[in-house]
Amino acid sequence: MIQYASIILIMLGLYGLLTNRNVIKIIISLNVFEIGLNLFIISVGYVDGGLAPILTGNSTSVLSFVDPLPHALVLTSIVIGVGTTALGLAFAKKIYAKYGTYEIDEMGVE
Amino acid sequence: MFSIELVVLSTLLAGVLAYIVSIKLPKLGSYLTILASLAVFSVLAYFGFNNNLDAEVNLIPQFVLFKTSMFGLYFAIIVSFIFFMVSFFNPYFIKDYKYPAAYNLFYLMALAGTIGVFFASNFITLFIFFEIVVWTSMFLIPLGKKRKPTVTYFVFSTVGSFAMLYAVMFTFSITGSFDLAAISVLSGKSALLVYILLAVAGFAKLGAYPFYVWLPKVLGKSPDPVSAVFSGGIEKLGAFIAFMAILRISPASIYLEAVGMYLQNYVIAIFGAITIVVGTLQAIRQDDAKKLLAYSSASNGGYILVAIAMSSSISLTGAMYHILAHALASTAAFLAIAVVHYRTKTTKISELGGMIHHMPLTYMVYLMAIISMAGIPPMGGFISKWLIFQAVINKQMIIVAVATFFGSIGSFLYVFRPLAALFLGQKLPKYKGVKEAPFLMMIPLIILTLGSFYIGVIPNQVIDFSNKVIAEFGFGPLLMNEFGIQGANGTLSAPIIASVFGLGVVVIAIIFFILPKSRKVGLMDTYTSGEFIYTEELLHYSADFYAPFERLYPAKPLISKVYAMIKEKVNELGRFFKYWFFTNKPEVTVLWIVLILTLLVWGDIL
Amino acid sequence: MNPVLLIAIPLLFAFLSIMNKKFARPLLLVALLLDVYLVFTISKGLYSIGGFSQYGINLLVDQYSLIGLMVVNVVFFLTVVTNCKEVKRLSTVLLVALAGVNGLLLTNDLFNLFVFLEIVGISAYLITSGNKRPLATFNYLVQGTVGSGLYLLGLILLYSMTGTLNMALILPTIVDKAIPLSNLALPFMLMFIGLGVEAKLLPFNSWVKGVLQNANALTSVLIAGVFATTIALTFGRLLSTVFVLGSISNIVLVILAVTMLAGEVAAFASKRIREVLLFSAIAQSGLIILLFANGLVIPAIMLIIANIVSKYILFTITGKMVDGTKTDEIESLQGVFSKNKLVGFAFTVASLSVIGLPLFFGFIVKLNILTSLFSQYQLFLSALILVVSLIEGTYFVKLLIKLWYSVGEVKTFKVDALVKVVTLIFALGLIVFGVYTKPLTDSLMTVPEEMMEAIAERGNF
């Protein structure tokens, strides 16, 4: 179920990128896209009724663990996402400083 | 023994040396080109005639391989001779070039490249040297004044060489060999493809229809020695390729009973015929002497193609002979025009006149050259055309025959024009102090003319040689005796014809000397409608020389419109891509991504 | 010597350089020198980081990555050296970029590759921000982020199917588990698109024009030379050892063929020198990836090397030229080389090599490409390649003639001696390799085998 939700989020993000002509809105669409992506990554490791992947002394089957790798990956991915967003906002500020607007259509460039 | 590899390499080295020398002393560098091309010619001729050329390759690594053949040797000697002859003009023109050092370098590199082509033993070698010739000779063109023809030349040459490359690679993918003989192994459709591609390569380089449009542009606008080298030398690479394609490949095809040849050969002959007609028609209306000769070069290329396509002993000998005769004659003609250009700074016929008074020798050279090009005895061109006519009539190819005769008659029209207006005609006052060609320029002019004359009177040696060449393609020798060549329906005795001609000249000379001399008057001593003329430029009679005839057909070749259209289409396509894909809009990319993914997912579900 | 140093040293120096801005440039140079030294001394092998064998991140040093590292690091170093003035502000970013570039070439892990892709991407955005065209850079950022996002999505899908991120293990696992090709189409397509954005493939490359048409020598060489080479090599490794194109191979081939054609015709229709070069770069990268997609690794690597060398020459000289003359309209640059013959010589050699004329390295590459394509009996593709290289030749010759021969007044520009020397050496290299290629072809000979060995040797973990 969560996978469908995340795919819908990804699509929403792409739709936002397609339709928006505002720099800030584009960055937000990117964020939506990335959140969808991150959720999807987590959903891949999900095991129904699985345990936290911590090695205790108890003899539990390896198969009942939730896959820990996607969690590790998603952390990295979130960090990168934050970095890109920050950079995007910095560029947005520069764009505003240069053109005095966030609307791409109003900037009068080719 | 002398190895071909050494010839090629040392020519390249000489080029580099000439380059280094000419950075400081361009003139000295151009004298080096004379020496180097002399060395190449004499080595090839001496060792070649004695069957002493060594094809072994030791220094050049990889896949470059040479071999000796009479076929290659014939071409190599002719072309290196042309390079040698033209090089005498280099010292006089070098100071006009923007980059004189580069000229000397590329001149010798182009020579090395052509030698490499003619002695190549596999297609890779052939292609490498072919391309070397293309790009080095390409850089010779813009050294004059005009730079646009460079691109035209590059495009047409590259169409040819890429067609050849494709053919070579295709042959390789089927036979697994790059050897020149590999194309004979092909059969059926693949043979037809290779045949067509190689023919395209030959056509493009020779400047045959529909690729002839580069010839007038390049030959007309290049520096004069370069035009001469192109017309007499580099263009012959096309004939070389055409020879190989047409004679070595036997694709499955329809045999035409009526003319006794295969369909594809007939098509080539028709294209050759079109080239003759179109070249002649365009040459007739040119005002620029160099452009005129360029179109004539194209039409002569047509003769060579027709002759090769007929593939009989007579026609092939005719082709070989025509290659030599045309090389000598057109080089002489171009060089003669070069002298005029050097002295007067123009090649426009309507701006010149009366040059015979200033440069009688150049006039004679030009006269002999055009006599040869028009196929009048006693020059070399007569014999080659006679052979080709014999073959055409023998094959009963009516359309082609009409075209070849038309071309021959037409050539009277066009070669007469510069003769009448440029050398004869009124003497224009502004060229009063113009002098005859400098001594060094006279050497090649005289040698070329004598050569042209010699092969017109005594054809035996050349035919001996060309018999050996066509034997390599599996054709029997052309029969001849001491005085005559055995044609299909008659014998040609060149010495007798020449002596009849000589007799005629003697008779005319006697009449000329016996009759009282005409009174010489100044050129301004003329009047019309009872008025003296002071601005005689206006009455120059070569303007609109053939006006009634010229009205019959368009000035610009129709095919060049097609090429302009292709260029415009490529441009349009480029603008299309730029407009639709390269914008500052991120959503374009996203849209395409979504579209492709949708296509993929949708396609999978279906 | 552990190859991880190639990544760690620049990263460490990047942190140090933030602390004291004054030392940023020396640190960059030292890092570059160290990296160049390391590249030539490391030995081949598989290095697992942290000793987790196939569960952790592996760095793979084989002939393929070694050649890539050598080329990229040397060119990176020379680019920085020849553009000292512009580097100042960007030292830290360049250090990060260096780490990313080396990481991309070395890593043997799909997710790690994503991380380095982002590092390279972010540093590329920052480098291009120096062009003072924030909108173009922003556009690049959005597309780059979407691209790497799609790559991430693809690799996660792949992970959920195969259960591994190790590049050497993916293909064997696919075979072991008998995963149907139709399931693999989506993840591979996503990854292809993701990398395609960075590799400048056609429908995903609208950022290129905005970024490169205003770039100076440093930016354009880094983006079109160093980064493009790195991405192409990374892409190549994925295409030859990881991807199973199967049902998407038709889409991929169409994309690549169109990229090639579009790049060349767009360059043909361009009137500015930087535009011409950038479109030509697009077409070249299309061709490179096309070769990898057809499994022709050796010609592809040769093309990559020829490409980075000629791109270095072309973009450096163009950058300096545009700086000096303040224009990049070809019409107003006519005859510039008549006053700068040495630079013009290097430029000419590079363009003749790109066109693929004999005596230059590009010719050997072209011959190799065609021979390999024909031995696969790819008649249509090779015809296409010939057609586009005809178009390419046409506009390059036109460009060269215009730059050498003037009409009217000639603009002048100054070039440092260092730039002259470096471009000349590269140009001579193109000629030398064009005549004598044996050492190079010998060292390339083993590349495909080694790449396949890495997969076959998975039992060694």
Side-chain angles (χ1 to χ4, degrees):
Chain A
M1 214 28 225
I2 189 174
Q3 290 191 333
Y4 289 109
S6 53
I7 286 173
I8 288 172
L9 272 179
I10 292 177
M11 288 192 163
L12 268 179
L14 287 176
Y15 176 76
L17 286 173
L18 267 180
T19 49
N20 279 315
R21 303 286 286 142
N22 180 306
V23 174
I24 301 290
K25 285 182 184 168
I26 288 177
I27 295 175
I28 291 172
S29 306
L30 265 183
N31 271 327
V32 173
F33 173 77
E34 273 169 1
I35 288 170
L37 206 61
N38 291 341
L39 279 179
F40 187 86
I41 298 174
I42 295 176
S43 74
V44 165
Y46 177 71
V47 177
D48 204 18
L51 301 169
I54 301 165
L55 209 57
T56 54
N58 307 343
S59 58
T60 40
S61 158
V62 179
L63 288 175
S64 63
F65 282 144
V66 174
D67 190 350
L69 193 64
H71 295 84
L73 301 188
V74 92
L75 275 178
T76 320
S77 153
I78 289 170
V79 171
I80 291 176
V82 171
T84 343
T85 311
L87 198 58
L89 286 170
F91 287 139
K93 189 170 158 274
K94 271 196 166 179
I95 290 175
Y96 192 82
K98 187 166 178 186
Y99 299 105
T101 174
Y102 285 123
E103 297 289 336
I104 295 179
D105 292 332
E106 290 171 11
M107 290 172 191
V109 281
E110 76 277 23
Chain B
M1 288 297 255
F2 207 88
S3 86
I4 297 164
E5 181 193 30
L6 215 57
V7 177
V8 173
L9 283 183
S10 49
T11 318
L12 283 177
L13 275 183
V16 177
L17 184 70
Y19 179 83
I20 295 165
V21 169
S22 21
I23 291 174
K24 282 275 167 285
L25 302 161
K27 206 149 186 182
L28 186 65
S30 58
Y31 283 111
L32 270 179
T33 63
I34 303 180
L35 287 181
S37 46
L38 167 66
V40 171
F41 167 67
S42 44
V43 163
L44 285 180
Y46 179 75
F47 291 100
F49 280 127
N50 296 327
N51 261 332
N52 239 339
L53 273 178
D54 179 9
E56 224 170 282
V57 173
N58 303 314
L59 298 169
I60 311 174
Q62 294 153 355
F63 26 69
V64 173
L65 287 174
F66 292 121
K67 70 166 183 190
T68 51
S69 67
M70 290 317 251
F71 177 50
L73 186 66
Y74 185 81
F75 276 88
I77 290 177
I78 294 178
V79 174
S80 60
F81 179 64
I82 298 300
F83 266 87
F84 168 48
M85 287 289 108
V86 176
S87 65
F88 280 103
F89 275 60
N90 289 345
Y92 296 98
F93 284 82
I94 196 93
K95 63 174 188 302
D96 295 338
Y97 299 143
K98 182 140 194 191
Y99 304 105
Y103 175 85
N104 291 334
L105 171 68
F106 290 137
Y107 189 86
L108 288 177
M109 277 178 90
L111 174 59
T114 39
I115 304 300
V117 169
F118 295 139
F119 288 111
S121 133
N122 62 11
F123 272 115
I124 287 293
T125 316
L126 183 74
F127 181 72
I128 291 174
F129 285 108
F130 198 83
E131 283 283 81
I132 290 180
V133 177
V134 168
W135 76 259
T136 49
S137 57
M138 171 178 89
F139 283 125
L140 291 175
I141 299 167
L143 288 163
K145 294 284 172 282
K146 302 277 193 243
R147 38 183 210 180
K148 221 178 164 198
T150 319
V151 182
T152 316
Y153 173 65
F154 177 80
V155 172
F156 281 96
S157 286
T158 310
V159 166
S161 49
F162 279 179
M164 185 168 86
L165 183 60
Y166 196 89
V168 170
M169 289 292 174
F170 183 74
T171 315
F172 172 71
S173 73
I174 289 179
T175 62
S177 155
F178 280 124
D179 199 84
L180 285 188
I183 48 171
S184 325
V185 182
L186 295 172
S187 61
K189 280 201 177 124
S190 50
L192 190 63
L193 179 68
V194 173
Y195 184 91
I196 292 171
L197 288 171
L198 283 183
V200 167
F203 273 47
K205 198 76 208 171
L206 193 57
Y209 187 85
F211 300 113
Y212 70 97
V213 287
W214 70 266
L215 271 178
K217 285 193 180 165
V218 172
L219 269 57
K221 304 259 174 70
S222 316
D224 299 323
V226 178
S227 304
V229 157
F230 265 106
S231 166
I234 292 171
E235 210 191 299
K236 301 291 176 280
L237 291 179
F240 184 79
I241 304 291
F243 250 98
M244 286 201 313
I246 296 169
L247 298 181
R248 287 247 162 84
I249 310 175
S250 42
S253 167
I254 308 158
Y255 188 77
L256 301 176
E257 290 288 343
V259 289
M261 63 202 294
Y262 284 102
L263 177 64
Q264 77 273 10
N265 283 19
Y266 192 67
V267 172
I268 299 251
I270 292 291
F271 269 106
I274 296 175
T275 311
I276 295 175
V277 173
V278 177
T280 308
L281 285 179
Q282 289 298 335
I284 289 173
R285 64 182 312 153
Q286 295 310 315
D287 183 40
D288 187 307
K290 280 172 75 182
K291 270 195 167 172
L292 184 150
L293 288 174
Y295 275 114
S296 123
S297 267
S299 96
N300 276 296
Y303 279 98
I304 297 173
L305 282 178
V306 167
I308 303 172
M310 285 182 297
S311 317
S312 65
S313 290
I314 295 186
S315 79
L316 289 180
T317 313
M320 298 302 279
Y321 216 103
H322 200 68
I323 287 166
L324 173 61
H326 177 251
L328 294 176
S330 83
T331 311
F334 266 110
L335 290 182
I337 299 295
V339 172
V340 175
H341 189 191
Y342 176 70
R343 289 298 194 202
T344 64
K345 306 294 171 217
T346 180
T347 54
K348 287 258 187 299
I349 295 171
S350 53
E351 292 170 7
L352 290 162
M355 283 300 143
I356 186 172
H357 301 290
H358 304 295
M359 31 185 86
L361 181 103
T362 313
Y363 163 74
M364 275 311 286
V365 168
Y366 185 81
L367 180 68
M368 301 292 254
I370 61 169
I371 286 178
S372 178
M373 280 159 101
I376 303 169
M379 307 302 283
F382 166 68
I383 297 190
S384 63
K385 277 199 178 163
W386 186 82
L387 288 167
I388 294 171
F389 289 157
Q390 284 277 320
V392 173
I393 294 166
N394 198 28
K395 287 263 182 192
Q396 302 179 341
M397 299 204 292
I398 297 175
I399 303 172
V400 178
V402 169
T404 48
F405 289 123
F406 175 81
S408 231
I409 311 282
S411 61
F412 286 120
L413 288 179
Y414 66 72
V415 293
F416 178 65
R417 193 170 159 182
L419 186 71
L422 195 157
F423 284 106
L424 306 173
Q426 291 125 306
K427 200 160 131 186
L428 294 184
K430 66 173 165 179
Y431 301 122
K432 215 163 199 174
V434 169
K435 286 194 217 91
E436 175 61 286
F439 173 69
L440 214 52
M441 281 187 178
M442 282 187 194
I443 299 174
L445 291 178
I446 293 168
I447 295 178
L448 284 168
T449 308
L450 289 181
S452 220
F453 182 68
Y454 178 78
I455 62 165
V457 179
I458 307 171
N460 295 35
Q461 276 113 337
V462 182
I463 288 182
D464 257 343
F465 201 126
S466 88
N467 274 343
K468 284 183 205 154
V469 174
I470 60 175
E472 288 181 347
F473 289 97
F475 289 91
L478 187 73
L479 296 176
M480 56 178 182
N481 55 30
E482 251 173 276
F483 297 110
I485 309 165
Q486 186 68 48
N489 43 14
T491 313
L492 174 76
S493 180
I496 293 176
I497 292 176
S499 33
V500 170
F501 248 78
L503 204 66
V505 170
V506 171
V507 171
I508 292 170
I510 292 169
I511 294 172
F512 180 79
F513 285 117
I514 290 174
L515 287 182
K517 290 264 187 297
S518 55
R519 187 172 65 92
K520 280 210 171 177
V521 293
L523 281 171
M524 302 290 279
D525 191 5
T526 178
Y527 61 91
T528 179
S529 313
E531 295 227 17
F532 283 98
I533 299 163
Y534 297 103
T535 51
E536 60 208 12
E537 288 87 350
L538 295 178
L539 287 181
H540 200 292
Y541 76 135
S542 76
D544 291 328
F545 202 62
Y546 291 119
F549 188 66
E550 284 168 10
R551 267 183 231 127
L552 297 175
Y553 54 94
K556 259 206 151 169
L558 287 174
I559 197 86
S560 60
K561 275 186 198 152
V562 176
Y563 294 126
M565 208 174 72
I566 293 174
K567 188 187 158 201
E568 195 39 50
K569 289 287 167 222
V570 174
N571 249 323
E572 261 173 33
L573 191 65
R575 285 197 291 271
F576 167 82
F577 278 117
K578 271 164 82 172
Y579 184 78
W580 285 103
F581 293 96
F582 301 103
T583 48
N584 257 343
K585 292 173 186 157
E587 61 262 33
V588 175
T589 301
V590 177
L591 175 69
W592 279 104
I593 291 173
V594 171
L595 277 180
I596 288 176
L597 286 179
T598 321
L599 186 78
L600 182 77
V601 174
W602 188 36
D604 260 3
I605 291 166
L606 281 179
Chain C
M1 211 75 87
N2 198 314
V4 79
L5 289 175
L6 283 171
I7 305 164
I9 290 177
L11 271 185
L12 173 70
F13 282 23
F15 282 114
L16 292 178
S17 72
I18 297 176
M19 293 178 193
N20 193 339
K21 293 264 177 213
K22 226 193 265 169
F23 292 123
R25 200 159 54 176
L27 277 175
L28 173 63
L29 286 175
V30 172
L32 276 166
L33 276 174
L34 274 176
D35 268 13
V36 171
Y37 170 73
L38 279 174
V39 163
F40 284 94
T41 48
I42 49 174
S43 46
K44 288 183 196 172
L46 189 64
Y47 299 83
S48 52
I49 307 298
F52 292 105
S53 73
Q54 88 253 42
Y55 301 110
I57 293 169
N58 292 310
L59 300 182
L60 179 63
V61 184
D62 58 358
Q63 191 72 11
Y64 183 84
S65 46
L66 212 53
I67 291 174
L69 284 170
M70 284 177 192
V71 173
V72 166
N73 279 290
V74 169
V75 175
F76 202 125
F77 174 68
L78 289 174
T79 313
V80 168
V81 170
T82 47
N83 294 290
C84 252
K85 225 184 278 163
E86 290 86 356
V87 163
K88 205 172 181 184
R89 203 175 45 85
L90 289 169
S91 299
T92 310
V93 178
L94 288 178
L95 278 166
V96 176
L98 181 61
V101 163
N102 284 335
L104 272 180
L105 290 171
L106 281 168
T107 188
N108 200 27
D109 180 281
L110 286 180
F111 187 77
N112 198 221
L113 196 151
F114 164 75
V115 174
F116 285 125
L117 199 64
E118 282 287 13
I119 292 178
V120 169
I122 288 176
S123 42
Y125 312 145
L126 283 169
I127 290 168
T128 56
S129 73
N131 295 338
K132 307 273 183 260
R133 293 285 191 289
L135 195 60
T137 309
F138 179 73
N139 186 15
Y140 184 19
L141 176 123
V142 172
Q143 291 178 30
T145 312
V146 172
S148 43
L150 292 177
Y151 172 82
L152 184 60
L153 189 59
L155 89 85
I156 286 300
L157 284 174
L158 200 60
Y159 172 73
S160 67
M161 287 180 216
T162 60
T164 178
L165 288 172
N166 192 314
M167 275 154 63
L169 289 178
I170 298 257
L171 211 50
T173 320
I174 289 172
V175 178
D176 278 356
K177 294 193 175 172
I179 301 171
L181 283 179
S182 55
N183 288 5
L184 290 168
L186 191 61
F188 283 142
M189 194 65 216
L190 285 169
M191 290 164 83
F192 181 84
I193 293 176
L195 285 167
V197 173
E198 291 289 337
K200 304 188 283 216
L201 301 186
L202 180 63
F204 329 120
N205 60 359
S206 68
W207 59 271
V208 184
K209 188 182 164 207
V211 166
L212 283 184
Q213 76 176 350
N214 301 310
N216 57 18
L218 175 72
T219 319
S220 48
V221 175
L222 280 181
I223 302 279
V226 175
F227 288 171
T229 305
T230 315
I231 299 286
L233 283 165
T234 315
F235 214 144
R237 189 184 280 286
L238 288 178
L239 277 170
S240 19
T241 65
V242 179
F243 283 14
V244 186
L245 288 177
S247 56
I248 59 166
S249 63
N250 280 336
I251 300 185
V252 167
L253 287 186
V254 168
I255 288 177
L256 295 168
V258 173
T259 303
M260 225 161 59
L261 183 68
E264 300 294 15
V265 291
F268 186 83
S270 296
K271 300 263 182 291
R272 290 156 179 273
I273 183 165
R274 283 190 293 201
E275 248 179 61
V276 170
L277 293 181
L278 79 91
F279 284 124
S280 148
I282 288 172
Q284 293 280 317
S285 65
L287 177 55
I288 293 171
I289 309 297
L290 185 70
L291 293 175
F292 276 124
N294 279 303
L296 304 171
V297 179
I298 295 177
I301 299 177
M302 287 173 87
L303 183 56
I304 286 175
I305 295 172
N307 196 37
I308 192 172
V309 174
S310 43
K311 283 283 143 21
Y312 175 85
I313 300 176
L314 295 176
F315 276 108
T316 306
I317 292 176
T318 307
K320 302 287 174 197
M321 201 153 76
V322 173
D323 273 355
T325 58
K326 302 285 175 246
T327 175
D328 68 344
E329 295 276 353
I330 296 170
E331 289 303 318
S332 50
L333 281 172
Q334 298 190 50
V336 281
F337 288 153
S338 56
K339 297 258 172 71
N340 283 291
K341 291 218 178 78
L342 280 182
V343 173
F345 170 76
F347 192 93
T348 309
V349 168
S351 9
L352 293 182
S353 169
V354 173
I355 303 173
L357 292 172
L359 300 186
F360 304 107
F361 184 46
F363 177 76
I364 307 283
V365 177
K366 188 166 87 180
L367 224 51
N368 242 295
I369 291 171
L370 286 172
T371 323
S372 328
L373 276 176
F374 268 100
S375 54
Q376 293 185 347
Y377 213 67
Q378 299 259 24
L379 297 186
F380 176 72
L381 265 188
S382 24
L384 181 73
I385 289 177
L386 286 180
V387 170
V388 295
S389 63
L390 173 64
I391 300 174
E392 185 180 37
T394 311
Y395 66 75
F396 263 118
V397 169
K398 217 190 283 180
L399 177 67
L400 283 181
I401 299 296
K402 285 209 168 138
L403 292 182
W404 276 104
Y405 294 92
S406 56
V407 176
E409 193 197 350
V410 177
K411 290 202 163 75
T412 50
F413 66 101
K414 277 228 169 65
V415 182
D416 313 341
L418 188 65
V419 176
K420 273 186 196 162
V421 170
V422 174
T423 47
L424 265 183
I425 289 174
F426 270 152
L428 290 178
L430 285 176
I431 296 178
V432 169
F433 274 122
V435 183
Y436 187 65
T437 357
K438 205 164 177 310
L440 184 70
T441 39
D442 282 353
S443 68
L444 286 177
M445 204 69 89
T446 54
V447 169
E449 281 169 36
E450 275 189 38
M451 282 174 103
M452 291 304 136
E453 266 171 27
I455 302 176
E457 277 174 359
R458 70 203 161 98
N460 295 352
F461 280 117

